[in-house]
DNA sequence: ATGTCCTAAAGATTAGGA
């Protein structure tokens, strides 16, 4: 089974590339973040024509997550139980589903903006709720992964220049401690191999020629439980998809599972 | 030139988010 996660930065703007990539990559299950659409606007029909069912948690201009699958899509759950509000509202940042026996949770972790911003405190509260939400599946016998845009670089090696992030979000001890807590629940960081250069960055800012200069970050993560991690045959960042006109600022992370022997 | 892109809005540019 080929599973992937991709922050598409608007599924409407990305639709031609998304459909082409699903076909060319042979992805069975794709976790999507930043759909930036309403539930009604989600392109279910175009995906259905390619053989994919869709589970969607989206409500408009910002955020929005989905799982699309051509190998089944059951027991869909939207959001995080007990997840925090922001500006008095729950945001669509998580969705879970079971696809041919594999449980996935597609997440778009709040950005945090600045360390002294209310959004940063919200980010940490949201991660705490995520930890509580996945604890049962993390310890379970069924293959499970929480994957998506975590907006955190797990180590200093996961950013192009640590000094450039002094005082900024994405690299703070508190954010990294939240990831460590997830790993402490039995989840493994399934680190993909890069297709070029040494570090498997997954995101490059649109600005200042970051992609050509490879000024990237590894913030799109796959955290799998033991049954999931032990079934991983290969994982890579498809940085080719970051190239050219009409690209997202994130590249897909692809994971191949061999479930027969696990 | 923040060497950009995406969204929405009493919009034809501005504001907000990343």
């Amino acid at each position: 089974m080929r599973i992937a996660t991709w922050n598409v930065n608007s599924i409407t703007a990305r639709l031609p590339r998304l459909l082409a990539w699903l076909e060319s990559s042979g992805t069975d299950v794709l976790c999507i973040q930043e759909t930036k659409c309403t539930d009604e606007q989600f392109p279910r029909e175009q995906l259905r024509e390619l053989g994919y069912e869709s589970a969607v948690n989206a409500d408009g201009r910002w955020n929005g997550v989905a799982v699309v699958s051509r190998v089944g899509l059951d027991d869909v759950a939207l959001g995080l139980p007990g997840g925090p509000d922001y500006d008095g509202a729950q945001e669509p940042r998580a969705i879970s589903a079971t696809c041919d026996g594999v449980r996935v949770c597609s997440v778009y972790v709040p950005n945090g903006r600045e360390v002294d911003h209310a959004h940063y405190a919200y980010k940490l509260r949201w991660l705490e709720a995520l930890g509580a939400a996945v604890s049962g599946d993390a310890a379970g016998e069924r293959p499970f992964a929480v994957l998506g845009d975590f907006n955190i670089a797990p180590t200093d090696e996961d950013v192009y220049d640590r000094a450039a992030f002094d005082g900024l979000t994405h690299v703070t001890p508190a954010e990294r401690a939240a990831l460590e807590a997830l790993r402490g629940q039995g989840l493994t960081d399934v680190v993909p191999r890069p297709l070029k250069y040494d570090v498997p960055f997954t995101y490059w800012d649109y600005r200042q020629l970051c992609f050509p200069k490879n000024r990237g970050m590894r913030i799109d993560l796959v955290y799998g439980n033991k049954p999931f991690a032990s079934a991983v045959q290969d994982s890579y960042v498809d940085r080719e998809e970051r190239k050219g006109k009409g690209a997202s600022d994130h590249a897909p992370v692809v994971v191949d599972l061999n479930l027969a022997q696990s």
Side-chain angles (χ1 to χ4, degrees):
Chain A
M1 180 187 295
R2 175 161 280 185
I3 298 181
T5 181
W6 190 12
N7 179 325
V8 296
N9 186 20
S10 170
I11 199 165
T12 308
R14 216 63 59 217
L15 192 58
R17 285 186 76 132
L18 171 65
L19 297 176
W21 185 80
L22 278 171
E23 290 225 287
S24 66
S25 67
T27 297
D28 296 306
V29 178
L30 176 63
C31 293
I32 299 173
Q33 300 85 38
E34 283 210 85
T35 59
K36 290 186 171 178
C37 66
T38 63
D39 186 80
E40 295 74 25
Q41 290 166 334
F42 193 89
R44 286 182 178 79
E45 282 311 311
Q46 291 95 322
L47 288 162
R48 195 189 311 278
E49 285 168 16
L50 288 188
Y52 294 86
E53 299 172 86
S54 301
V56 181
N57 185 10
D59 67 3
R61 184 176 185 182
W62 307 117
N63 313 309
V65 288
V67 179
V68 303
S69 169
R70 64 179 187 185
V71 293
L73 193 60
D74 302 304
D75 300 321
V76 173
L78 274 54
L80 294 181
D85 288 359
Y86 189 72
D87 266 354
Q90 289 274 321
E91 296 178 320
R93 293 180 175 276
I95 187 168
S96 302
T98 302
C99 307
D100 194 20
V102 177
R103 186 74 176 165
V104 295
C105 180
S106 172
V107 296
Y108 177 48
V109 175
N111 174 286
R113 298 182 189 164
E114 291 157 22
V115 172
D116 59 359
H117 197 288
H119 210 257
Y120 178 80
Y122 167 57
K123 181 180 195 173
L124 296 180
R125 284 199 304 275
W126 199 92
L127 286 161
E128 199 172 325
L130 178 65
V134 302
S135 62
D137 281 317
E141 298 296 314
R142 175 175 58 178
F144 165 76
V146 52
L147 62 171
D149 178 359
F150 281 74
N151 271 313
I152 303 170
T155 74
D156 286 353
E157 306 307 308
D158 295 310
V159 295
Y160 68 92
D161 176 8
R162 177 61 185 81
F165 290 85
D166 272 347
L168 302 183
T169 61
H170 293 57
V171 299
T172 66
E175 290 167 285
R176 288 176 173 171
L179 292 182
E180 188 177 7
L182 287 176
R183 295 193 297 271
Q185 294 197 23
L187 297 172
T188 298
D189 184 349
V190 178
V191 180
R193 57 187 171 82
L195 293 189
K196 191 178 178 184
Y197 305 114
D198 296 331
V199 182
F201 294 146
T202 65
Y203 163 81
W204 300 259
D205 198 302
Y206 284 126
R207 294 167 286 191
Q208 297 177 291
L209 297 176
C210 281
F211 183 65
K213 293 177 179 175
N214 198 34
R215 292 181 180 168
M217 309 171 72
R218 186 172 76 92
I219 57 176
D220 298 271
L221 309 175
V222 178
Y223 271 40
N225 71 357
K226 191 153 193 171
F228 184 100
S230 62
V232 172
Q233 299 299 294
D234 189 18
S235 181
Y236 63 91
V237 179
D238 192 352
R239 73 186 301 284
E240 295 300 308
E241 195 52 41
R242 180 62 180 77
K243 294 182 178 177
K245 199 166 175 58
S248 170
D249 42 2
H250 296 251
V253 176
V254 178
V255 179
D256 287 327
L257 297 181
N258 182 353
L259 295 163
Q261 65 180 34
S262 60

